[in-house]
């Protein structure tokens, strides 16, 4: 038990170490890709903007300039009109700033230019951009300060150059283009950024393959571990079952042996020897117990024989109803008035290809269990039907029933439901194991449905 727990703990520990190790590696790869992505776009942007500076024929903000100048010319008179009303003025300024940002954002050709440039260099052409206005003045007769970013005030004049590039700053965006626009009606400073706020998706795409492989390998390790652990538990369970079997078997063998020993001792007594009838009675007892002992030993021998060889069925076409009647009536003779057995067959004269000896063992095992696992007078209903492929036999009892958990195991070799192990009901845990084996060897199956305290129903199907 302790050894098993140690193995389990070690296994879990190893898996945790593996997962943590993988997570560290993935994190490292992620950071590396993050850095690479940033550096790649940083240098590409730098190249692109340098190339742009050399072009005289192309200005990505031509349209913008035209629209904004027009707009400023109109809006300046509105500003003059409301210059006394502070609230209205503030609202108007906010609108103007929004409009400028919108036009700068949507009417520029820089994004298209960069996109083409990135593509021509063989890199991802889709990216997001962001416009940040640092300072905006509308110029009429008076100058209206629409907006000034606090940090702009402290900027060095050289920072305010026409087209410049500043690649410092946060890694979630790259400043590509900083410009000053001064026209008749406005003065504007703004920055154009490549936005990386959703770069996770880009990185994920790049490392998708290695991430999948790593998750997959971890899954395989976990599955192998669980599988191995399950096997270990199964082995443990089987070894427990074997121990139980040996205990049960010893108990079964000891009972007739003890009776025979006592009977032998009895025969030694002079008083008994003088009485012929007592001698006969004791001899009969010894004979009966010897037969029982012999049966037990044969059964054990049979077990090992059945284990070593495959079932050799000697199949013959047999009228199933006739066979069932024979088996049940000889079983009834065996248990006298003790149990009530009701039979109801609708086999329609079906003949099945069965081995009579094994089939008889199968039905007998089920019937004797139905009698054995009963705490009141047993009432057993035996029903038989056929469909177009199978014969189906149901044996229902009013016995102690079987718990859901035990139902999963009762067909296992040596398995006895927990109450069975304390010798209240004698047995070796082999009856149902053989029932299953015999049914399967005939190409059929056996199933159980039961409720503790209410009784059990065993259903055997065999093709015919
Ligand atoms: P055994 O009877 O020797 O213990 P079996 O393989 O015949 O072995 O049965 C396995 C277990 O299934 C039994 O220990 C018993 O707990 C349970 N069982 C079998 N048949 C019945 C039944 N008709 N009613 C209640 N429990 C049953």
């Amino acid at each position: 038990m302790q050894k098993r727990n140690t193995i389990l703990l070690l296994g879990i520990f190893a898996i945790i170490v593996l997962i943590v190790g993988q997570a560290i590696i993935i994190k490292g790869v992620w950071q590396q890709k993050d850095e690479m992505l940033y550096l790649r776009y940083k240098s590409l942007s730098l190249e692109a903007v340098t190339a742009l500076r050399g072009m005289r024929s192309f200005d990505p903000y031509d349209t913008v300039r035209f629209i904004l100048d027009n707009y400023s010319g109109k809006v300046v008179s509105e500003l003059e009109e409301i210059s006394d009303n502070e609230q209205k003025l503030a609202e108007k300024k906010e609108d103007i700033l929004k409009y400028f940002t919108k036009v700068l954002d949507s009417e520029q050709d820089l994004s298209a230019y960069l996109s083409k440039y990135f593509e021509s260099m063989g890199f991802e052409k889709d990216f997001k951009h962001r416009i940040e206005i640092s300072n905006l003045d509308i110029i009429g007769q008076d100058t209206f300060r629409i907006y000034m970013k606090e940090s702009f005030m402290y900027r060095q004049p050289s920072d305010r150059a026409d087209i410049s590039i500043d690649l410092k700053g946060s890694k979630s965006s790259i400043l590509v283009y900083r410009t000053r626009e001064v026209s008749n009606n406005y003065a504007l400073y703004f920055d154009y950024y490549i936005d990386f706020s959703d770069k996770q998706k880009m990185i994920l795409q790049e490392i998708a393959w290695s991430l999948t492989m790593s998750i997959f390998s971890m899954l395989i390790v976990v599955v192998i571990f669980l599988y191995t652990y399950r096997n270990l538990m199964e082995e443990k369970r089987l070894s427990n079952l074997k121990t139980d079997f040996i205990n049960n078997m010893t108990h079964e063998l000891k009972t007739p042996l003890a009776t025979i020993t006592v009977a032998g001792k009895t025969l030694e007594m002079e008083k008994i020897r003088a009485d012929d009838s007592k001698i006969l009675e004791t001899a009969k007892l010894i004979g009966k117990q010897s037969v029982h002992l012999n049966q037990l030993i044969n059964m054990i021998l049979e077990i090992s024989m059945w284990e070593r060889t495959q079932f050799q069925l000697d199949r013959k076409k047999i009228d199933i109803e006739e066979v069932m009647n024979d088996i049940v009536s000889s079983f009834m003779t065996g248990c006298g008035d003790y149990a009530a057995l009701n039979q109801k067959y609708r086999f329609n004269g079906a003949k099945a290809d069965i081995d009579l000896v094994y089939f008889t063992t199968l039905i007998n095992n089920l019937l004797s269990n139905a009698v054995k696992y009963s705490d009141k007078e047993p009432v057993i209903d035996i029903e038989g039907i056929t469909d177009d492929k199978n014969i189906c036999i149901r044996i229902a009892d009013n016995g102690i029933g079987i718990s859901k958990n035990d139902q999963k195991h009762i067909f296992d070799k040596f398995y006895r439901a927990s109450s069975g192990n304390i010798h209240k009901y004698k047995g070796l845990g082999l009856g149902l194991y053989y029932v299953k084996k015999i049914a399967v060897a005939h190409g059929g199956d056996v199933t159980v449905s039961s409720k503790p305290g209410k009784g059990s129903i065993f259903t055997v199907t065999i093709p015919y």
Side-chain angles (χ1 to χ4, degrees):
M1 183 71 178
Q2 206 166 2
K3 197 172 147 204
R4 206 155 23 106
N5 282 347
T6 318
I7 293 175
L8 177 67
L9 285 177
L10 271 177
I12 292 175
F13 180 69
I15 286 180
I16 291 174
V17 168
L18 186 80
I19 291 175
V20 170
Q22 289 275 349
I24 291 172
I25 293 172
I26 290 171
K27 196 173 163 224
V29 173
W30 186 281
Q31 277 168 348
Q32 207 184 1
K33 288 279 172 193
D34 192 2
E35 194 80 21
M36 271 168 59
L37 194 84
Y38 177 72
L39 287 175
R40 184 193 306 154
Y41 279 96
K42 190 167 142 176
S43 65
L44 278 175
S45 310
L46 187 62
E47 280 170 27
V49 170
T50 314
L52 184 66
R53 281 159 116 182
M55 282 185 220
R56 296 219 171 267
S57 55
F58 175 67
D59 180 344
Y61 282 94
D62 258 355
T63 324
V64 170
R65 204 170 296 124
F66 176 74
I67 299 174
L68 291 183
D69 204 33
N70 239 339
Y71 172 76
S72 306
K74 274 186 227 154
V75 96
V76 73
S77 51
E78 286 179 42
L79 285 169
E80 275 161 8
E81 266 172 42
I82 56 169
S83 59
D84 296 338
N85 187 331
E86 248 181 56
Q87 200 198 332
K88 273 197 172 163
L89 199 61
E91 279 169 13
K92 191 70 200 168
K93 283 181 178 180
E94 207 173 298
D95 285 352
I96 295 172
L97 184 67
K98 268 191 198 148
Y99 184 78
F100 264 71
T101 315
K102 199 181 95 194
V103 173
L104 282 168
D105 195 35
S106 55
E107 300 299 333
Q108 43 82 20
D109 293 321
L110 185 58
S111 294
Y113 166 75
L114 284 176
S115 181
K116 260 202 187 133
Y117 190 85
F118 292 166
E119 196 180 15
S120 71
M121 293 296 174
F123 291 102
E124 174 68 47
K125 68 176 177 32
D126 294 328
F127 60 87
K128 280 207 263 172
H129 69 270
R130 186 161 59 82
I131 303 288
E132 227 177 81
I133 293 178
S134 337
N135 176 220
L136 172 61
D137 293 334
I138 298 286
I139 306 160
Q141 269 162 346
D142 293 328
T143 295
F144 291 90
R145 168 127 304 164
I146 303 298
Y147 177 71
M148 182 183 262
K149 213 176 171 187
E150 209 181 316
S151 57
F152 184 77
M153 278 186 262
Y154 308 111
R155 241 184 226 175
Q156 296 298 319
S158 65
D159 278 358
R160 303 181 184 182
D162 261 356
I163 297 180
S164 76
I165 186 140
D166 173 8
L167 293 179
K168 281 182 256 134
S170 121
K171 286 196 174 176
S172 66
S173 50
I174 298 171
L175 173 56
V176 175
Y177 194 87
R178 162 166 293 165
T179 191
R180 182 188 57 150
E181 295 282 338
V182 182
S183 79
N184 291 338
N185 298 316
Y186 70 86
L188 167 74
Y189 286 85
F190 73 90
D191 297 335
Y192 174 98
Y193 291 91
I194 287 185
D195 189 279
F196 277 132
S197 47
D198 68 346
K199 67 181 161 187
Q200 275 87 344
K201 213 178 109 199
M202 291 164 96
I203 299 176
L204 209 60
Q205 271 170 355
E206 290 200 11
I207 64 166
W209 184 236
S210 42
L211 194 67
T212 317
M213 290 301 277
S214 134
I215 291 174
F216 187 62
S217 61
M218 273 191 287
L219 270 180
I220 289 182
V221 171
V222 172
V223 167
I224 289 177
F225 170 75
L226 289 179
Y227 182 73
T228 315
Y229 184 69
R230 218 192 62 161
N231 278 356
L232 200 74
M233 297 296 282
E234 185 61 18
E235 242 171 59
K236 177 75 190 155
R237 198 178 68 85
L238 280 180
S239 114
N240 283 348
L241 283 181
K242 271 189 189 149
T243 316
D244 285 348
F245 168 73
I246 290 168
N247 290 342
N248 287 329
M249 193 179 69
T250 316
H251 175 83
E252 292 283 310
L253 289 175
K254 269 191 172 171
T255 316
L257 212 58
T259 319
I260 292 170
T261 315
V262 172
K265 287 253 183 304
T266 314
L267 282 180
E268 281 172 17
M269 292 158 75
E270 248 173 63
K271 195 171 71 182
I272 300 291
R273 278 205 305 258
D275 187 341
D276 273 354
S277 67
K278 283 263 161 61
I279 294 179
L280 192 66
E281 199 181 307
T282 317
K284 271 187 184 165
L285 187 68
I286 292 175
K288 207 173 138 196
Q289 292 304 326
S290 308
V291 170
H292 184 45
L293 207 56
N294 194 33
Q295 276 172 347
L296 281 172
I297 291 167
N298 279 344
M299 200 169 105
I300 294 163
L301 288 177
E302 225 175 273
I303 297 164
S304 59
M305 202 186 74
W306 280 20
E307 281 306 293
R308 267 184 278 120
T309 55
Q310 280 285 325
F311 270 98
Q312 290 295 326
L313 296 183
D314 182 14
R315 295 171 93 148
K316 284 192 183 84
K317 281 258 177 240
I318 292 174
D319 185 311
I320 201 73
E321 187 156 343
E322 249 174 51
V323 170
M324 283 303 292
N325 278 323
D326 286 353
I327 300 174
V328 174
S329 54
S330 58
F331 183 84
M332 279 206 272
T333 324
C335 61
D337 291 340
Y338 179 64
L341 281 87
N342 311 310
Q343 302 182 72
K344 201 163 85 191
Y345 301 131
R346 272 178 287 129
F347 287 123
N348 302 325
K351 287 197 166 149
D353 223 0
I354 50 173
D355 180 310
L356 188 58
V357 178
Y358 282 128
F359 184 74
T360 309
T361 311
L362 183 157
I363 300 295
N364 270 332
N365 281 359
L366 290 177
L367 291 177
S368 55
N369 275 352
V371 173
K372 185 160 72 170
Y373 295 104
S374 172
D375 48 2
K376 45 186 165 294
E377 203 162 288
V379 178
I380 305 167
D381 293 316
I382 309 153
E383 273 181 60
I385 51 162
T386 50
D387 60 23
D388 40 337
K389 281 193 194 128
N390 299 302
I391 55 164
C392 181
I393 297 159
R394 267 162 49 101
I395 298 183
D397 63 53
N398 61 340
I400 57 171
I402 306 164
S403 72
K404 269 264 167 295
N405 188 44
D406 285 331
Q407 285 176 35
K408 286 187 227 151
H409 302 293
I410 48 170
F411 298 106
D412 293 352
K413 196 169 156 192
F414 304 140
Y415 189 86
R416 309 202 68 218
S418 38
S419 66
N421 282 332
I422 54 168
H423 307 308
K424 183 176 172 194
Y425 303 97
K426 289 181 183 176
L428 297 174
L430 288 165
L432 289 182
Y433 171 68
Y434 287 126
V435 166
K436 184 89 171 181
K437 266 198 139 187
I438 294 168
V440 172
H442 280 86
D445 201 4
V446 55
T447 54
V448 63
S449 82
S450 177
K451 259 196 184 156
K454 292 266 183 311
S456 312
I457 304 172
F458 285 86
T459 309
V460 182
T461 38
I462 288 179
Y464 72 100

